[in-house]
């Protein structure tokens, strides 16, 4: 259960980052130049996919009744965390999402 | 006067109802957030209760042995079982009262001397009654919840760039930053805000909307409850019937297999009552722990024959109408989904508090610059709002942690000790209002947040110095983190921001 929730949280965070970078203002904020329109579309599609996967992970963790509640909570908190870190440490906000995946993979293998 | 647009009207509503009800709502949300961990806080407030590793069946047997030895003639024995969240094993005799009973040492089976305390339940009760008389409090809180719903909806409408500024937060830009923070905490956690406010209203639907029950049942709550549960008449008021004839003595059935069966049907158990123990008409009523499912299963139970151990009444399945209400109520109570869900609710609750607090601050920040033009009354109002903001936001936090300090510092033997803890809570809160009125407002924010931070950071130390027992690492780590964040806030306020310092000087003087 713990692992499914952690996966759900990380998917939610990664998804929110992708959606955030899909907005021109924030892409510029991080990379200093505007995104091409195809990249923007790809980022948004990835973001929505990740959020859907996060929802699935929540359902796997809590079941169909409680999963949606937990899933929305995870997405909310992931978004809030991102918004708070982004203006101070934009690269760190993204690096955290990337670095989280190998950690999660290791935890899966160990567990 | 020119006709206002809908956005302007809603903006006016959002601003003023947000300010007036925001003060109450902050208190409701902060204590509600704390109430998510009411049992854990309660454990901290009762350090005399030892941790143990007994399962509920062993604990029930310990309690039963005690009751059989000490209260052989009582008509009813009640046993509160320990669970994952709370190690308390409690016993009482006679009619079951909520939260009553004396704590037993699960290892020795003897009574424990536990300090009298308002307990973690204080935050829970304050959350929905504001410590007013129960019914009045429920009405006030309900009114505030309606205002919250109105503020949420109007907030969505007047937010000009809902999606464009979805991820926007621009710190250190004065009013802009406060608005960004208010929007971000509002928009990103919006599902939670809406859900928790709406479901909060649904809990007391019978109090807020009594028309149907008055019309159909003449206001008879018992009759309504029976109809809602689809219960046949004779099952109502189990255990309250007068004894028709005294049944002869008969030994009580063994508890463990009975509890095992109850656990199989109900999930983890919360408590049991044994009516007429030692007699032929003995009944054993077993209640489940809340939170095996979303539905709030308060009042659900399973009844066994106390001699044969046979099931007399299985738990009733709720009818769809009742189930709907109970699932909504259960979503508010957050007893389901285990600790991960509890943490989600806690952090989302903190986000709600942050949204309300930033909204309150935004009101005054916006007006600091331009209330000169609005006359003496306007100036007095904004200065007053500023003071109340300090006392409601920082002062209430101080009062909450102050209650924890009072729990350790008040003398153990003090009569009405629990009542004194509550009095300390309110005295501190009142003192913060006085303090906020007497000090320059920025200093008042800084000093009250700073003191709250200090009390949070010192809490683990206080525990070591005064009682030095108990294992509260999760609670203590959490409170250290909160203390650290508050200390950072207090420090930040002390830093002179050039534009802000200038603005303060021109306005306060």
């Amino acid at each position: 259960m713990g692992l499914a929730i952690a996966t759900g949280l990380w998917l939610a965070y990664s998804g929110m980052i992708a959606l955030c970078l899909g907005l021109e203002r924030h892409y510029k904020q991080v990379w200093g130049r505007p995104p091409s329109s195809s990249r923007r579309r790809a980022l948004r599609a990835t973001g929505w996919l990740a959020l859907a996967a996060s929802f699935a992970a929540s359902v796997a963790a809590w079941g169909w009744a409680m999963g949606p509640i937990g899933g929305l909570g995870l997405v909310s908190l992931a978004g809030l965390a991102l918004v708070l870190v982004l203006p101070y440490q934009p690269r760190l906000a993204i690096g955290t999402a990337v670095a989280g995946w190998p950690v999660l993979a290791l935890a899966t293998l160990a567990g | 006067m020119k006709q206002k647009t809908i956005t302007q009207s809603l903006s006016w509503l959002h601003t003023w109802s947000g300010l007036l009800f925001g003060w109450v709502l902050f208190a409701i949300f902060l204590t509600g957030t704390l109430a998510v961990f009411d049992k854990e806080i309660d454990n901290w407030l009762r350090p005399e209760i030892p941790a143990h590793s007994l399962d509920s069946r062993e604990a029930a047997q310990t309690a039963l042995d005690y009751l059989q030895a000490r209260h052989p003639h009582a008509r009813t024995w009640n046993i509160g079982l320990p669970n994952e969240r709370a190690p308390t094993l409690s016993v009482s005799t006679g009619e079951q009262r909520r939260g009553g009973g004396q704590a037993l040492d699960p290892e020795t089976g003897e009574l424990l001397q536990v300090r009298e305390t308002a307990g973690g339940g204080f935050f829970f009760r304050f959350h929905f009654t504001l410590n007013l008389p129960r019914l009045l409090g429920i009405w006030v809180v309900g009114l505030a919840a309606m205002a919250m719903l109105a503020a949420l909806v109007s907030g969505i409408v007047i937010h000009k760039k809902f999606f464009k500024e979805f991820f926007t937060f621009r710190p250190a830009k004065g009013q802009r930053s406060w608005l960004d923070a208010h929007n971000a905490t509002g928009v990103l956690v919006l599902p939670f805000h809406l859900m928790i406010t709406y479901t909060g209203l649904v809990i007391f639907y019978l109090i807020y909307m009594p028309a149907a029950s008055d019309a159909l049942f003449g206001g008879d709550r018992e009759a309504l409850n029976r109809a809602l549960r689809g219960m046949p008449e004779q099952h109502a008021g189990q255990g309250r019937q007068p004894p028709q004839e005294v049944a002869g003595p008969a030994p009580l059935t063994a508890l463990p297999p009975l509890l095992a069966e109850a656990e199989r049907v109900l999930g983890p158990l919360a408590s049991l009552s044994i009516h007429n123990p030692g007699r032929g008409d003995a009944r054993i009523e077993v209640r489940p722990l809340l939170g095996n499912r979303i539905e709030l299963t308060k009042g659900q139970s399973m009844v066994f024959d106390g001699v044969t151990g046979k099931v007399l009444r299985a738990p009733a399945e709720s009818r769809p109408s009742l189930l709907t209400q109970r699932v909504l109520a259960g979503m508010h109570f957050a007893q389901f989904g285990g600790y991960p869900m509890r943490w989600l609710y806690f952090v989302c609750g903190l986000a709600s508090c942050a949204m309300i607090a930033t909204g309150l601050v935004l009101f005054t920040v916006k007006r600091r610059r331009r209330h000169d033009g609005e006359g003496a009354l306007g100036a007095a109002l904004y200065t007053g709002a500023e003071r109340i903001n300090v006392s409601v936001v920082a002062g209430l936090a101080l009062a909450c942690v102050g209650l924890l300090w009072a729990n350790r510092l008040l003398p153990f033997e003090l009569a009405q000790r629990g009542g004194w803890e509550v009095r300390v809570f309110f005295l501190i809160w009142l003192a913060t209002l006085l303090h906020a009125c007497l000090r320059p407002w920025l200093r008042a924010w800084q000093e009250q947040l700073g003191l709250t931070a200090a009390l949070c950071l010192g809490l683990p130390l206080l525990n070591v110095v005064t009682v030095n027992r108990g294992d509260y690492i999760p609670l203590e780590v959490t409170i250290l983190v909160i203390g650290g964040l508050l200390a950072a806030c207090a420090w930040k306020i002390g830093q002179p921001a050039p534009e802000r310092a200038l603005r303060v000087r021109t306005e306060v003087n």
Side-chain angles (χ1 to χ4, degrees), chain B residues 111-161:
Chain B
L111 279 185
L112 282 172
Q113 282 294 318
V114 182
R115 65 187 58 208
E116 203 198 322
T117 172
F122 169 74
F123 296 113
F124 172 64
R125 282 189 304 280
F126 187 94
H127 170 61
F128 71 94
T129 62
L130 301 173
N131 222 42
L132 295 166
R134 187 181 149 91
L135 206 57
L136 177 66
I138 289 175
W139 273 104
V140 173
V141 171
L143 196 66
M146 284 305 293
M148 176 85 178
L149 273 185
L152 286 171
V153 174
S154 58
I156 296 168
V157 176
I158 63 176
H159 187 0
K160 293 183 197 80
K161 298 168 185 159

Side-chain angles (χ1 to χ4, degrees), chain A residues 1 5 16 19-20 23 25-26 62 65-66 69-70 72-74 76-77 79-80 82-84 86-88, chain B residues 163-169 171 184-185 188-189 191 292-294 331 336-337 340-341 344-345 347-348 351:
Chain A
M1 183 173 166
I5 294 173
M16 284 310 239
L19 285 177
C20 174
L23 291 167
R25 169 193 289 172
H26 297 294
W62 281 298
M66 304 173 188
I69 305 174
L72 278 176
L74 289 180
S76 292
L77 291 185
L80 200 59
L82 171 62
V83 164
L84 288 180
L86 195 65
Y88 298 101
Chain B
F163 291 106
K164 218 177 152 198
E165 295 195 343
F166 205 83
F167 296 101
T168 303
F169 175 48
T185 45
L188 285 161
V189 196
N292 304 329
R293 48 198 302 177
I294 298 180
M331 281 170 75
F336 61 90
M341 194 65 90
L344 267 184
Y345 268 76
V347 183
C348 283

Side-chain angles (χ1 to χ4, degrees), chain B residues 444-496:
Chain B
W445 273 113
Q446 193 189 7
E447 286 162 4
Q448 292 193 15
L449 287 174
L451 186 56
T452 311
L455 289 191
C456 285
L457 294 172
L459 202 68
L461 195 64
L462 173 74
N463 184 49
V464 171
V465 171
T466 51
V467 296
N468 195 19
R469 59 192 293 177
D471 173 17
Y472 308 111
I473 291 169
L475 183 136
E476 287 179 344
V477 169
T478 310
I479 208 149
L480 285 178
V481 170
I482 292 173
L485 288 173
L486 290 173
C489 286
W491 178 80
K492 189 98 181 154
I493 292 171
Q495 297 302 103

Side-chain angles (χ1 to χ4, degrees), chain B residues 247-421:
Chain B
L252 202 64
T253 181
L255 273 188
L258 187 145
L259 291 180
E261 169 64 10
E263 232 165 271
R264 192 185 63 76
V265 176
L266 299 170
L269 305 174
S271 65
L272 62 147
S273 294
I274 304 172
H275 306 289
N276 306 329
R279 294 190 349 203
D281 56 351
R283 297 280 178 275
I284 301 177
E285 188 175 4
V286 187
R287 300 174 206 88
L289 205 60
L290 296 179
N292 304 329
R293 48 198 302 177
I294 298 180
E295 183 190 357
L296 195 65
T297 49
K298 232 174 212 170
Q300 229 183 43
S301 67
M302 196 171 167
V303 178
F304 294 87
D305 187 308
V307 178
T308 63
K310 272 196 301 207
V311 179
L312 294 181
R313 175 160 63 76
E317 285 288 318
S318 296
R319 295 161 53 144
S321 56
L322 186 61
L323 182 63
T324 307
Q325 190 267 342
R326 285 182 154 190
V327 167
L328 288 173
M331 281 170 75
H332 191 94
F333 273 74
Q335 303 292 317
F336 61 90
Y339 271 114
M341 194 65 90
R342 222 165 257 286
W343 275 105
L344 267 184
Y345 268 76
F346 182 74
V347 183
C348 283
L350 286 181
S352 297
C353 294
M355 174 186 69
I356 298 169
T358 49
L360 289 172
V361 171
L362 183 61
F363 177 93
T364 52
V365 169
K366 248 183 179 171
R367 281 158 187 81
R368 262 173 221 154
R369 249 181 306 179
R370 42 161 222 220
H371 66 236
D372 292 342
E374 301 187 20
L377 189 69
L381 179 74
Y382 300 135
T383 328
E386 192 91 68
R387 312 286 178 198
I388 297 175
N389 276 355
V390 177
S391 168
V392 163
V393 177
L396 178 64
L398 184 60
C400 286
V401 67
L403 185 138
L404 299 188
W405 276 73
N407 174 271
R408 288 294 192 268
L409 294 181
L410 289 173
F412 193 94
E413 316 75 21
L414 187 66
Q416 297 287 314
R417 202 171 176 281
W420 274 105
E421 287 177 8

